[in-house]
Amino acid sequence: MDRRRQSNRVENDALQTFMDAKFNDGSSPSAAIVTGLMICLLFAGQHTSSVTASWTGLFMFDEVRRGNKKLLDELLAEQVH
């Protein structure tokens, strides 16, 4: 980060996105926060879309099992249109 900032180099990547981010008060995230976010991305990348789909399906069908079919109906209607 320091080298990138010192050289005024701008890239089109996640690191640049975090470096350019601003909090509601207008301040920029510290190097420690950016590092933490990059580590989160690393771990998040370990979860495949199939795991995400499995959990989504589980929660969706649990809603149906509990009698709330509205979510499933909305999702199915979205796929038709």
Side-chain angles (χ1 to χ4, degrees), residues 41-60:
L41 279 180
L42 172 71
F43 285 109
Q46 300 299 314
H47 295 282
T48 65
S49 57
S50 63
V51 172
T52 302
S54 296
W55 278 106
T56 301
L58 175 74
F59 287 119
M60 182 177 65

Side-chain angles (χ1 to χ4, degrees), residues 21-69:
K22 299 286 185 204
F23 291 112
N24 288 339
D25 66 1
S27 65
S28 297
S30 66
I33 290 174
V34 171
T35 301
L37 290 168
M38 293 300 291
I39 291 170
C40 286
L41 279 180
L42 172 71
F43 285 109
Q46 300 299 314
H47 295 282
T48 65
S49 57
S50 63
V51 172
T52 302
S54 296
W55 278 106
T56 301
L58 175 74
F59 287 119
M60 182 177 65
F61 288 114
D62 187 53
E63 286 294 311
V64 173
R65 181 188 62 81
R66 292 189 289 147
N68 182 4
K69 195 175 171 224

